[in-house]
Structure formats: structure tokens, C-alpha cells
């Protein structure tokens, strides 16, 4: 695959995954990794996730394989899960933002797997958006953010899941969920009954620096509402949710389920921005399954922090 040649040459390649599109570079090429931060305008203290095509590559990245990690990997790789482990000294500090750990993920998306296998090396890949913008779930979104800033863009289908992977720190004794995603805490607890969410009050800035940044936000103001809530100026606003609102909105996404809502959210944010819509009303969802991840992204986009 030609795109893999750009990776071998130290270039940057955007590629689809089942969660969101990623922006890839060879993890062992420090200059290439530094270019990822520059292309996105990403703060240097926010670590990157290493993407693999084969479980054998884990030993190139992780110094020790904890029991919790082994069980999660057995259950959920390939898929929308990132496992954080103590890193090998050979993994450049620029990739892990100076932390002694590295996040590892094996995507299930067909194009991603083919691309990563052709690269023959683990590939760091943050979401392929400009820092601060919603993660890209369509090729169009990647193009809008990064055209002219990177070497190659692989076109795939719209992301099936639409929210970034679940990130679980397995470097210590107890597994801690740093970022909720499609692999829900209910699913994780079937494998590791004592898994917990990181305490947001002290979200361990050092453990997941990314969580301190305002993320996933469109230019429009995001407001979380309950089903049926009457809002001002609906005719100029956007609305996304599973319910049918009683008002007429300028743009509306009617979602069939929480999964469908998750898959459509970031592209809806972008579409509202393209149309100059200034306020987006987002219907709240039950905090279970993917609903937790969805609420997490909605709260971040709305500027609500738990800490
Ligand atoms: O679904 C995904 O994970 C996508 C696709 C492309 O695979 N990637 C992604 O990467 O969302 P990014 O860089 O946008 O988000 C990575 C998150 C950040 O919140 C970061 O702080 C956290 O994972 N993270 C990465 N490495 C970490 C580490 N060693 N320790 C703690 N948190 C880490
Ligand atoms: Mg991101």
C-alpha cells in the first residue's frame, strides 16, 4: 500500500478507524512524531496512542504485560479499546509526552488494519483533527482540518462508532478507565470486576493529560437538554437526540439509538458550524453503555467539567 510508504519515509498519513479517523506517523521516528503535534497544533504534553496490526507488536512497546492488560486484550483486541502500560525505553519520549507509559490500540476497521500491516511498525495516531475541534468521523472532516498539512489521506467510510476509544490504565494494580468509550464499564467489569473510572476530582493530570483540555467542541455553543425541554430561538439552532422535539429547529438529527447518536454527534457538530449555527441543543441520554461516553463528550463540548 502506497500510504505505508509515506510512513516509512517519515511522513504523516490520515486513515479511517472504527472510532474516529487517526493521523499516523512511525512511532520510532522522533521527527515524524513531532510533526504530528505540529500538524494538529497539539500541546506537547498530551501523549499519543500507538496503533498496532498484530498483538506481537505489543512487546516492542510495553515493558511489562500486566494480567489485567492481557485479559482485556484477549477480550477486546482488535476493537475500540486503548490499554496503557509501562513503556519500553526504546519508545521515544515525544510519543508518550514524557510519561513512562504508552497507550496501545489495535483497530478493527478493515482499511486501518491493512494500512497498519503494510506499515510494519507501530504507528502513533491521535484523532486526525485540528486540536480543539471535534474528532473527525468522516473523510470530509479530515480534509477540512488537515488538507495541505499532511502527506496522505486514506479515504474510508464514515466511522462506525464515532467516539474515541475507551482508554484504560493497566500500568498499576487496579485498572482505571481514563476515557469512556464504546467498550463500556459494564463490558470491562465482566473481565475485571474491580475496574473503576478515574476520580474526576483529581483526574490525575499526570495520568491522562489529554483529559484536561477542552475537547470535541464545535464553534457553536453546546447545551445539554432533557427530552421535550422548550428552548429559546429553536428556529436558528441545531438539535440532536433520540426524541422528537415539539419545536422546529433549523437543523435536526433524529437518532435511532444511543449508538446511532454517538456515531452522528461529531459530524453534526461540524455540519452546524458549516451552516453558521450558533447554538446546538443535545438531548441527554441514560448513563449506561455507550451513553456514558456520549455524556462525557457532550459535557466536554458544553464546557462542563467535573473537577
Ligand atoms: O479512538 C481513538 O483512540 C483514536 C483513534 C485514531 O485510534 N485516537 C485518539 O487519540 O483519540 P487522541 O490522541 O485524540 O486521544 C488520546 C487520549 C488522550 O486523552 C491522551 O491523554 C490519552 O489518550 N493517552 C494517551 N496515552 C496515554 C498515556 N500513556 N497515559 C494516559 N493517557 C494517555
Ligand atoms: Mg483527539
Amino acid at each position: 500500500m502506497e500510504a505505508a510508504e509515506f510512513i516509512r519515509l517519515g511522513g504523516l498519513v490520515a486513515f479511517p478507524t472504527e472510532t474516529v479517523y487517526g493521523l499516523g506517523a512511525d512511532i520510532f521516528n522522533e521527527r515524524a512524531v513531532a510533526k504530528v503535534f505540529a500538524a494538529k497544533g497539539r500541546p506537547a504534553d498530551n501523549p499519543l496512542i500507538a496503533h498496532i496490526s498484530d498483538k506481537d507488536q505489543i512487546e516492542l512497546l510495553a515493558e511489562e504485560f500486566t494480567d489485567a492488560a492481557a485479559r482485556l486484550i484477549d477480550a477486546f483486541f482488535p476493537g475500540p479499546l486503548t490499554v496503557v502500560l509501562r513503556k519500553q525505553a526504546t519508545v521515544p519520549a515525544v510519543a508518550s509526552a514524557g510519561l513512562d507509559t504508552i497507550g496501545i490500540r489495535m483497530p478493527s476497521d478493515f482499511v486501518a488494519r491493512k494500512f497498519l500491516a503494510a506499515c510494519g511498525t507501530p504507528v502513533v495516531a491521535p484523532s486526525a483533527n485540528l486540536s480543539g475541534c471535534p474528532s473527525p468521523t468522516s473523510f470530509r472532516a479530515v480534509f477540512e482540518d488537515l488538507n495541505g498539512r499532511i502527506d496522505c489521506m486514506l479515504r474510508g467510510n464514515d466511522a462506525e462508532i464515532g467516539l474515541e476509544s475507551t482508554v484504560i490504565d493497566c500500568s498499576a494494580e487496579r485498572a482505571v478507565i481514563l476515557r469512556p468509550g464504546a467498550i463500556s464499564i459494564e463490558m470491562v467489569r465482566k473481565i475485571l470486576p474491580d475496574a473503576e473510572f478515574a476520580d474526576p476530582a483529581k483526574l490525575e493530570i499526570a495520568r491522562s493529560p489529554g483529559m484536561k483540555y477542552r475537547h470535541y467542541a464545535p464553534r457553536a455553543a453546546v447545551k445539554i437538554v432533557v427530552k421535550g425541554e422548550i428552548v429559546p430561538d429553536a428556529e436558528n439552532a441545531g438539535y440532536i437526540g433520540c426524541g422528537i422535539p415539539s419545536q422546529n429547529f433549523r437543523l435536526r438529527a433524529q437518532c435511532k439509538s444511543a449508538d446511532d447518536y454517538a456515531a452522528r454527534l461529531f459530524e453534526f457538530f461540524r455540519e452546524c458550524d458549516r451552516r453558521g449555527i450558533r447554538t446546538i441543543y443535545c438531548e441527554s441520554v441514560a448513563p449506561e453503555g455507550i451513553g456514558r461516553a456520549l455524556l462525557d463528550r457532550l459535557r466536554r463540548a458544553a464546557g462542563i467539567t467535573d473537577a
Side-chain angles (χ1 to χ4, degrees):
M1 190 191 265
E2 228 175 287
E5 193 58 28
F6 284 107
I7 296 293
R8 281 191 286 276
L9 295 171
L12 306 187
V13 176
F15 62 99
T17 86
E18 69 278 19
T19 57
V20 301
Y21 275 72
L23 175 60
D26 177 356
I27 192 168
F28 294 115
N29 183 329
E30 286 182 47
R31 285 183 53 198
V33 176
K35 282 197 288 184
V36 170
F37 286 88
K40 280 181 57 93
R42 181 181 178 101
D45 65 352
N46 194 0
L48 303 177
I49 294 170
H51 291 63
I52 58 173
S53 58
D54 193 302
K55 291 181 190 173
D56 289 345
Q57 290 176 317
I58 295 171
E59 64 188 38
L60 300 173
L61 301 165
E63 184 188 78
E64 57 168 354
F65 216 136
T66 59
D67 184 50
R71 292 166 66 182
L72 290 176
I73 286 167
D74 261 355
F76 300 119
F77 273 25
L81 175 74
T82 297
V83 164
V84 173
L85 286 167
R86 291 182 67 83
K87 81 173 186 70
Q88 289 279 12
T90 46
V91 172
V94 59
S96 64
L99 298 180
D100 57 4
T101 55
I102 183 79
I104 303 173
R105 169 160 129 76
M106 182 173 171
S108 61
D109 177 85
F110 178 75
V111 177
R113 294 193 69 173
K114 241 183 113 177
F115 165 66
L116 292 168
C119 290
T121 178
V123 165
V124 285
S127 48
N129 54 293
L130 290 174
S131 206
C133 294
S135 289
T137 53
S138 67
F139 180 79
R140 178 182 180 186
V142 177
F143 191 87
E144 285 172 349
D145 274 19
L146 297 179
N147 182 35
R149 294 171 164 262
I150 63 177
D151 300 292
C152 174
M153 300 182 200
L154 281 174
R155 183 192 293 265
N157 295 326
D158 290 353
E160 202 182 312
I161 293 170
L163 301 180
E164 306 84 348
S165 63
T166 306
V167 177
I168 308 190
D169 186 349
C170 293
S171 66
E173 221 156 275
R174 187 169 192 195
V176 175
I177 300 179
L178 302 177
R179 179 174 73 181
I183 304 290
S184 64
I185 191 162
E186 295 88 345
M187 292 161 78
V188 170
R189 281 187 177 151
K190 286 196 177 141
I191 312 288
L192 303 174
D194 69 346
E196 261 311 333
F197 282 114
D199 179 354
K202 46 179 185 248
L203 189 79
E204 297 161 62
I205 297 234
R207 282 176 94 178
S208 196
M211 302 311 275
K212 75 183 176 210
Y213 296 107
R214 183 169 183 250
H215 262 173
Y216 323 111
R219 284 194 301 277
V222 170
K223 296 195 189 322
I224 303 173
V225 294
V226 295
K227 197 184 289 185
E229 189 172 330
I230 300 297
V231 302
D233 206 24
E235 56 284 359
N236 289 313
Y239 187 95
I240 183 168
C242 297
I244 299 175
S246 53
Q247 295 164 281
N248 278 324
F249 285 85
R250 179 153 154 225
L251 189 67
R252 188 157 77 83
Q254 170 75 54
C255 306
K256 292 191 280 288
S257 60
D259 288 311
D260 187 40
Y261 191 167
R264 294 168 69 178
L265 179 68
F266 290 155
E267 190 59 25
F268 187 74
F269 281 172
R270 284 178 178 264
E271 188 56 27
C272 287
D273 279 351
R274 288 179 195 121
R275 297 180 189 218
I277 288 172
R278 306 267 281 276
T279 310
I280 306 172
Y281 294 99
C282 301
E283 199 178 286
S284 196
V285 294
E288 59 200 25
I290 198 162
R292 278 182 195 270
L294 196 45
L295 280 175
D296 171 73
R297 305 314 190 268
L298 291 177
R299 295 166 70 92
R300 285 171 195 286
I304 303 167
T305 48
D306 296 317

Coordinates of all heavy atoms in Angstrom, one line a residue, residues 154-229:
L154 N -6.1 8.6 3.6 CA -6.8 7.5 3.2 C -8.3 7.7 3.3 O -8.8 8.0 4.4 CB -6.4 6.2 4.0 CG -5.1 5.6 3.6 CD1 -4.7 4.5 4.6 CD2 -5.1 5.0 2.2
R155 N -9.1 7.5 2.3 CA -10.5 7.7 2.3 C -11.2 6.4 2.8 O -10.9 5.3 2.2 CB -11.0 8.1 1.0 CG -12.5 8.4 1.0 CD -13.1 8.5 -0.4 NE -12.5 9.7 -1.1 CZ -13.2 10.9 -1.1 NH1 -14.3 11.0 -0.5 NH2 -12.6 11.9 -1.7
G156 N -12.0 6.4 3.8 CA -12.8 5.2 4.2 C -14.2 5.6 4.4 O -14.6 6.7 4.0
N157 N -15.0 4.7 4.9 CA -16.4 5.0 5.2 C -16.4 5.9 6.5 O -15.4 6.1 7.1 CB -17.1 3.7 5.5 CG -17.2 2.9 4.3 OD1 -17.3 3.4 3.2 ND2 -17.2 1.6 4.5
D158 N -17.6 6.5 6.7 CA -17.8 7.2 8.0 C -17.5 6.2 9.1 O -17.8 5.0 9.0 CB -19.2 7.7 8.1 CG -19.4 8.9 7.1 OD1 -18.5 9.3 6.5 OD2 -20.6 9.3 7.0
A159 N -16.9 6.7 10.2 CA -16.6 5.9 11.4 C -17.8 5.2 11.9 O -18.9 5.9 12.1 CB -15.9 6.7 12.5
E160 N -17.7 4.0 12.2 CA -18.9 3.2 12.6 C -19.3 3.6 14.1 O -20.5 3.7 14.4 CB -18.5 1.7 12.6 CG -19.7 0.8 12.5 CD -19.1 -0.7 12.6 OE1 -18.2 -1.0 11.8 OE2 -19.7 -1.4 13.4
I161 N -18.3 3.8 14.9 CA -18.7 4.1 16.3 C -18.8 5.6 16.6 O -19.7 6.1 17.2 CB -17.6 3.5 17.3 CG1 -17.7 2.0 17.2 CG2 -17.8 4.0 18.7 CD1 -16.5 1.2 17.9
G162 N -17.8 6.4 16.1 CA -18.0 7.8 16.1 C -17.5 8.5 17.4 O -17.4 9.7 17.4
L163 N -17.1 7.7 18.4 CA -16.5 8.3 19.6 C -15.1 7.6 19.8 O -15.0 6.5 19.5 CB -17.3 8.1 20.8 CG -18.7 8.7 20.8 CD1 -19.4 8.3 22.2 CD2 -18.7 10.2 20.6
E164 N -14.1 8.3 20.4 CA -12.8 7.8 20.5 C -12.8 6.6 21.5 O -13.7 6.4 22.3 CB -11.9 8.9 21.1 CG -11.8 10.2 20.3 CD -13.0 11.1 20.7 OE1 -13.9 10.7 21.4 OE2 -12.9 12.3 20.2
S165 N -11.7 5.8 21.4 CA -11.6 4.5 22.1 C -11.7 4.7 23.6 O -11.3 5.8 24.2 CB -10.3 3.8 21.8 OG -9.2 4.6 22.2
T166 N -12.1 3.7 24.3 CA -12.0 3.6 25.8 C -10.5 3.5 26.1 O -9.8 2.7 25.6 CB -12.8 2.4 26.3 OG1 -14.1 2.4 25.8 CG2 -12.8 2.3 27.8
V167 N -10.1 4.4 27.0 CA -8.7 4.3 27.5 C -8.6 3.8 28.9 O -9.3 4.3 29.8 CB -8.0 5.7 27.4 CG1 -6.5 5.6 27.9 CG2 -8.0 6.3 26.0
I168 N -7.9 2.7 29.1 CA -7.8 2.1 30.4 C -6.3 2.0 30.8 O -5.5 1.4 30.1 CB -8.4 0.6 30.4 CG1 -9.8 0.7 29.9 CG2 -8.4 0.1 31.9 CD1 -10.6 -0.6 30.1
D169 N -6.0 2.5 32.0 CA -4.7 2.4 32.5 C -4.5 1.1 33.2 O -5.2 0.8 34.2 CB -4.4 3.6 33.5 CG -3.0 3.6 34.0 OD1 -2.3 2.7 33.7 OD2 -2.6 4.6 34.7
C170 N -3.7 0.3 32.7 CA -3.4 -1.1 33.2 C -2.0 -1.1 33.8 O -1.4 -2.2 34.0 CB -3.6 -2.1 32.2 SG -5.2 -2.3 31.6
S171 N -1.4 0.0 34.0 CA 0.1 0.0 34.4 C 0.2 -0.2 35.9 O 1.2 -0.6 36.4 CB 0.7 1.3 34.0 OG 0.2 2.4 34.8
A172 N -0.9 0.0 36.7 CA -0.9 -0.2 38.1 C -1.7 -1.4 38.5 O -2.3 -2.1 37.6 CB -1.4 1.0 38.8
E173 N -1.9 -1.7 39.8 CA -2.6 -2.9 40.2 C -4.0 -2.9 39.7 O -4.5 -3.9 39.2 CB -2.5 -3.0 41.7 CG -2.2 -4.5 42.1 CD -1.6 -4.5 43.5 OE1 -0.3 -4.3 43.6 OE2 -2.3 -4.6 44.4
R174 N -4.7 -1.8 39.9 CA -6.1 -1.7 39.6 C -6.3 -1.0 38.3 O -5.8 0.1 38.1 CB -6.8 -1.0 40.7 CG -8.3 -1.0 40.6 CD -8.9 -0.5 41.9 NE -10.3 -0.8 41.9 CZ -11.1 -0.2 42.8 NH1 -10.6 0.7 43.7 NH2 -12.4 -0.4 42.8
A175 N -7.1 -1.6 37.4 CA -7.4 -1.0 36.1 C -8.3 0.2 36.3 O -9.3 0.2 37.0 CB -8.0 -2.0 35.2
V176 N -7.9 1.3 35.7 CA -8.6 2.6 35.8 C -9.0 3.1 34.4 O -8.2 3.3 33.6 CB -7.8 3.7 36.6 CG1 -8.5 5.0 36.6 CG2 -7.4 3.2 38.0
I177 N -10.3 3.4 34.3 CA -10.8 3.9 33.0 C -10.5 5.4 32.9 O -11.1 6.2 33.7 CB -12.3 3.6 32.7 CG1 -12.5 2.1 32.8 CG2 -12.8 4.2 31.4 CD1 -13.9 1.6 32.6
L178 N -9.7 5.8 32.0 CA -9.3 7.2 31.9 C -10.2 8.0 31.0 O -10.5 9.2 31.1 CB -7.9 7.4 31.4 CG -6.8 6.7 32.3 CD1 -5.4 6.9 31.6 CD2 -6.8 7.3 33.7
R179 N -10.7 7.3 29.9 CA -11.6 7.9 29.0 C -12.7 6.9 28.6 O -12.4 5.8 28.1 CB -10.9 8.3 27.7 CG -11.8 9.0 26.7 CD -11.0 9.5 25.5 NE -10.5 8.5 24.6 CZ -9.7 8.8 23.5 NH1 -9.4 10.0 23.2 NH2 -9.3 7.8 22.8
P180 N -14.0 7.2 28.8 CA -15.1 6.2 28.5 C -15.2 6.2 27.0 O -15.0 7.2 26.3 CB -16.3 6.8 29.1 CG -16.1 8.3 29.3 CD -14.6 8.4 29.4
G181 N -15.6 5.0 26.5 CA -15.8 4.8 25.0 C -16.8 3.7 24.8 O -17.5 3.3 25.7
A182 N -16.7 3.1 23.6 CA -17.7 2.1 23.2 C -17.6 0.8 24.0 O -18.5 0.1 24.2 CB -17.6 1.8 21.7
I183 N -16.3 0.5 24.5 CA -16.2 -0.6 25.4 C -16.6 0.0 26.8 O -15.8 0.7 27.4 CB -14.7 -1.1 25.4 CG1 -14.2 -1.5 24.0 CG2 -14.6 -2.2 26.4 CD1 -14.9 -2.7 23.4
S184 N -17.8 -0.3 27.2 CA -18.3 0.3 28.4 C -17.8 -0.3 29.7 O -17.2 -1.4 29.7 CB -19.9 0.2 28.4 OG -20.2 -1.2 28.5
I185 N -18.0 0.4 30.8 CA -17.5 -0.1 32.1 C -18.2 -1.4 32.4 O -17.6 -2.3 33.0 CB -17.7 0.9 33.2 CG1 -16.9 0.4 34.5 CG2 -19.1 1.2 33.5 CD1 -16.6 1.5 35.5
E186 N -19.5 -1.6 32.0 CA -20.2 -2.8 32.2 C -19.4 -4.0 31.5 O -19.3 -5.1 32.0 CB -21.6 -2.8 31.7 CG -22.5 -1.8 32.4 CD -22.5 -0.3 31.8 OE1 -21.5 0.0 31.1 OE2 -23.3 0.5 32.2
M187 N -19.0 -3.7 30.2 CA -18.2 -4.7 29.5 C -16.9 -5.0 30.1 O -16.4 -6.2 30.2 CB -18.0 -4.3 28.0 CG -19.3 -4.2 27.2 SD -19.1 -3.2 25.8 CE -18.3 -4.3 24.7
V188 N -16.2 -4.0 30.6 CA -14.9 -4.1 31.2 C -15.0 -4.9 32.5 O -14.2 -5.8 32.8 CB -14.2 -2.8 31.5 CG1 -13.0 -2.9 32.3 CG2 -13.9 -2.1 30.2
R189 N -16.1 -4.7 33.3 CA -16.2 -5.3 34.6 C -16.5 -6.8 34.4 O -16.4 -7.6 35.4 CB -17.3 -4.6 35.4 CG -16.7 -3.4 36.0 CD -17.7 -2.7 37.0 NE -17.1 -1.6 37.6 CZ -17.8 -0.5 38.1 NH1 -19.1 -0.5 38.0 NH2 -17.2 0.5 38.7
K190 N -17.0 -7.2 33.3 CA -17.2 -8.7 33.1 C -15.8 -9.4 33.0 O -15.7 -10.6 33.3 CB -17.9 -8.9 31.8 CG -19.4 -8.6 31.9 CD -20.2 -9.2 30.8 CE -21.7 -8.9 31.1 NZ -22.4 -8.6 29.8
I191 N -14.8 -8.6 32.7 CA -13.4 -9.2 32.6 C -12.7 -8.8 33.9 O -11.9 -9.7 34.4 CB -12.7 -8.6 31.4 CG1 -13.5 -8.6 30.1 CG2 -11.3 -9.2 31.2 CD1 -13.7 -9.9 29.5
L192 N -12.8 -7.6 34.3 CA -12.1 -7.1 35.5 C -13.1 -6.5 36.5 O -13.5 -5.3 36.4 CB -11.1 -6.0 35.2 CG -10.0 -6.4 34.1 CD1 -9.2 -5.2 33.8 CD2 -9.1 -7.5 34.7
P193 N -13.7 -7.3 37.4 CA -14.8 -6.8 38.2 C -14.5 -5.6 39.0 O -15.4 -4.8 39.4 CB -15.1 -8.0 39.1 CG -14.5 -9.2 38.4 CD -13.4 -8.7 37.6
D194 N -13.2 -5.3 39.4 CA -13.0 -4.1 40.2 C -12.5 -2.9 39.4 O -12.1 -1.9 40.0 CB -12.0 -4.4 41.3 CG -10.6 -4.7 40.8 OD1 -10.5 -4.9 39.5 OD2 -9.6 -4.7 41.6
A195 N -12.7 -2.9 38.1 CA -12.3 -1.7 37.3 C -13.1 -0.5 37.7 O -14.3 -0.6 38.0 CB -12.5 -2.0 35.8
E196 N -12.5 0.6 37.7 CA -13.1 1.9 38.2 C -12.9 3.0 37.2 O -11.9 2.9 36.4 CB -12.5 2.3 39.5 CG -13.3 1.9 40.7 CD -14.7 2.3 40.7 OE1 -15.1 3.3 40.0 OE2 -15.6 1.6 41.3
F197 N -13.7 4.0 37.2 CA -13.4 5.2 36.5 C -12.4 6.0 37.3 O -12.4 6.0 38.5 CB -14.7 6.1 36.3 CG -15.6 5.6 35.2 CD1 -16.8 5.2 35.5 CD2 -15.1 5.7 33.9 CE1 -17.7 4.7 34.5 CE2 -16.0 5.2 32.9 CZ -17.2 4.7 33.1
A198 N -11.5 6.8 36.6 CA -10.6 7.7 37.3 C -11.5 8.7 38.0 O -12.5 9.1 37.5 CB -9.7 8.3 36.3
D199 N -11.0 9.0 39.2 CA -11.7 10.0 40.0 C -11.6 11.4 39.3 O -10.5 11.9 39.3 CB -11.1 10.1 41.4 CG -11.8 11.1 42.3 OD1 -12.6 11.9 41.8 OD2 -11.5 11.1 43.5
P200 N -12.7 12.0 38.8 CA -12.6 13.2 38.1 C -12.0 14.3 38.9 O -11.4 15.3 38.4 CB -14.0 13.5 37.6 CG -14.9 12.7 38.4 CD -14.1 11.5 39.0
A201 N -12.3 14.3 40.2 CA -11.9 15.4 41.1 C -10.3 15.6 41.0 O -9.8 16.7 41.2 CB -12.4 15.2 42.5
K202 N -9.6 14.5 40.9 CA -8.2 14.6 40.8 C -7.7 13.9 39.6 O -6.8 13.1 39.6 CB -7.5 14.0 42.1 CG -8.1 12.7 42.5 CD -7.4 12.2 43.7 CE -7.8 10.9 44.1 NZ -8.3 10.1 44.8
L203 N -8.5 14.1 38.5 CA -8.1 13.3 37.3 C -6.7 13.7 36.9 O -6.4 14.5 36.1 CB -9.0 13.4 36.0 CG -8.5 12.4 35.0 CD1 -8.9 10.9 35.3 CD2 -9.0 12.7 33.6
E204 N -5.9 13.2 38.0 CA -4.6 12.6 37.6 C -4.1 13.2 36.3 O -4.0 12.5 35.3 CB -4.8 11.1 37.5 CG -5.2 10.6 38.9 CD -5.8 9.2 38.8 OE1 -5.2 8.3 38.4 OE2 -7.0 9.2 39.2
I205 N -4.0 14.5 36.4 CA -3.5 15.2 35.2 C -2.3 14.4 34.6 O -2.2 14.3 33.4 CB -3.1 16.6 35.6 CG1 -4.4 17.3 36.0 CG2 -2.4 17.4 34.5 CD1 -4.8 18.5 35.4
A206 N -1.5 13.9 35.5 CA -0.2 13.3 35.1 C -0.6 12.0 34.4 O 0.2 11.5 33.5 CB 0.7 13.0 36.2
R207 N -1.7 11.4 34.7 CA -2.0 10.1 34.1 C -2.7 10.2 32.8 O -2.6 9.3 31.9 CB -2.9 9.2 35.1 CG -2.0 8.6 36.1 CD -2.9 7.9 37.1 NE -2.9 6.5 36.8 CZ -3.6 5.6 37.5 NH1 -4.3 6.0 38.6 NH2 -3.7 4.3 37.2
S208 N -3.5 11.2 32.6 CA -4.1 11.4 31.3 C -4.2 12.8 30.9 O -5.3 13.4 31.0 CB -5.5 10.7 31.2 OG -5.9 10.6 29.8
P209 N -3.1 13.4 30.5 CA -3.1 14.8 30.3 C -4.1 15.3 29.4 O -4.6 16.4 29.5 CB -1.7 15.1 29.7 CG -0.9 13.8 30.1 CD -1.9 12.7 30.2
G210 N -4.5 14.5 28.4 CA -5.5 14.9 27.4 C -6.8 15.3 28.0 O -7.5 16.1 27.4
M211 N -7.1 14.7 29.1 CA -8.5 15.0 29.7 C -8.6 16.4 30.2 O -9.7 16.8 30.5 CB -8.8 14.0 30.8 CG -8.7 12.5 30.3 SD -9.6 12.2 28.8 CE -11.3 11.9 29.5
K212 N -7.5 17.1 30.3 CA -7.7 18.5 30.9 C -8.0 19.5 29.8 O -8.4 20.6 30.1 CB -6.4 18.9 31.7 CG -5.2 19.3 30.8 CD -4.0 19.6 31.6 CE -2.8 19.9 30.6 NZ -1.6 19.5 31.2
Y213 N -7.8 19.2 28.6 CA -8.1 20.1 27.5 C -9.6 20.1 27.1 O -10.2 19.1 27.2 CB -7.3 19.8 26.3 CG -5.8 19.9 26.5 CD1 -5.0 18.8 26.6 CD2 -5.2 21.2 26.7 CE1 -3.6 18.9 26.9 CE2 -3.9 21.3 27.0 CZ -3.1 20.2 27.1 OH -1.8 20.3 27.4
R214 N -10.1 21.3 26.7 CA -11.4 21.4 26.2 C -11.4 20.7 24.8 O -10.6 21.0 24.0 CB -11.9 22.8 26.0 CG -13.3 22.9 25.6 CD -13.9 24.3 25.7 NE -15.3 24.3 25.3 CZ -15.7 24.9 24.1 NH1 -14.9 25.5 23.3 NH2 -17.0 24.9 23.9
H215 N -12.3 19.8 24.7 CA -12.2 18.8 23.5 C -13.5 18.9 22.8 O -14.5 19.3 23.2 CB -12.0 17.4 24.1 CG -10.6 17.0 24.1 ND1 -10.2 15.8 24.6 CD2 -9.5 17.5 23.6 CE1 -8.9 15.6 24.5 NE2 -8.5 16.7 23.9
Y216 N -13.4 18.3 21.6 CA -14.7 17.8 21.0 C -15.6 19.0 20.7 O -16.8 18.8 20.5 CB -15.4 16.8 21.8 CG -14.5 15.8 22.5 CD1 -14.4 15.8 23.9 CD2 -13.8 14.9 21.7 CE1 -13.5 14.9 24.5 CE2 -12.9 14.0 22.4 CZ -12.8 14.0 23.7 OH -12.0 13.1 24.4
A217 N -15.2 20.2 20.8 CA -16.1 21.3 20.8 C -16.3 22.0 19.4 O -15.3 22.3 18.8 CB -15.6 22.4 21.8
P218 N -17.5 22.2 19.0 CA -17.7 23.0 17.8 C -17.6 24.4 18.1 O -17.4 24.8 19.3 CB -19.1 22.6 17.4 CG -19.8 22.3 18.7 CD -18.7 21.7 19.6
R219 N -17.6 25.3 17.1 CA -17.6 26.7 17.4 C -18.9 27.1 18.1 O -18.9 28.0 18.9 CB -17.4 27.5 16.1 CG -16.0 27.5 15.6 CD -15.8 28.6 14.5 NE -16.6 28.4 13.4 CZ -16.4 27.6 12.3 NH1 -15.3 26.8 12.3 NH2 -17.3 27.5 11.3
A220 N -20.0 26.5 17.7 CA -21.3 26.8 18.3 C -21.3 26.5 19.8 O -20.5 25.6 20.2 CB -22.4 26.0 17.6
A221 N -22.2 27.1 20.5 CA -22.3 26.8 21.9 C -23.2 25.5 22.0 O -24.1 25.3 21.3 CB -23.1 27.9 22.6
V222 N -22.7 24.6 22.9 CA -23.4 23.3 23.1 C -24.2 23.4 24.4 O -23.6 23.7 25.4 CB -22.4 22.2 23.1 CG1 -23.1 20.9 23.5 CG2 -21.8 22.0 21.7
K223 N -25.5 23.0 24.3 CA -26.3 23.0 25.5 C -27.0 21.6 25.6 O -27.6 21.1 24.7 CB -27.3 24.1 25.5 CG -26.7 25.5 25.5 CD -27.7 26.5 25.8 CE -27.3 28.0 25.7 NZ -25.9 28.3 26.0
I224 N -26.9 21.0 26.8 CA -27.5 19.7 27.0 C -28.9 19.9 27.6 O -29.1 20.7 28.5 CB -26.6 18.9 28.0 CG1 -25.2 18.7 27.5 CG2 -27.3 17.5 28.3 CD1 -24.2 18.1 28.4
V225 N -29.9 19.3 27.0 CA -31.3 19.5 27.4 C -31.9 18.1 27.6 O -31.4 17.1 27.1 CB -32.1 20.2 26.3 CG1 -31.6 21.7 26.2 CG2 -32.0 19.5 25.0
V226 N -33.0 18.1 28.4 CA -33.8 16.9 28.5 C -34.9 16.8 27.4 O -35.3 17.8 26.9 CB -34.4 16.7 29.9 CG1 -33.3 16.6 31.0 CG2 -35.4 17.9 30.2
K227 N -35.3 15.6 27.1 CA -36.3 15.4 26.1 C -37.5 16.3 26.3 O -38.0 16.3 27.5 CB -36.7 13.9 26.1 CG -37.4 13.5 24.8 CD -37.9 12.0 24.9 CE -36.7 11.0 24.9 NZ -37.2 9.6 24.8
G228 N -38.0 17.0 25.3 CA -39.2 17.8 25.5 C -39.0 19.2 26.0 O -39.9 20.0 26.1
E229 N -37.7 19.5 26.5 CA -37.4 20.8 27.0 C -37.7 21.9 26.0 O -37.3 21.8 24.8 CB -36.0 20.8 27.5 CG -35.6 22.1 28.3 CD -34.2 21.9 28.9 OE1 -33.8 20.8 29.3 OE2 -33.5 23.0 29.1

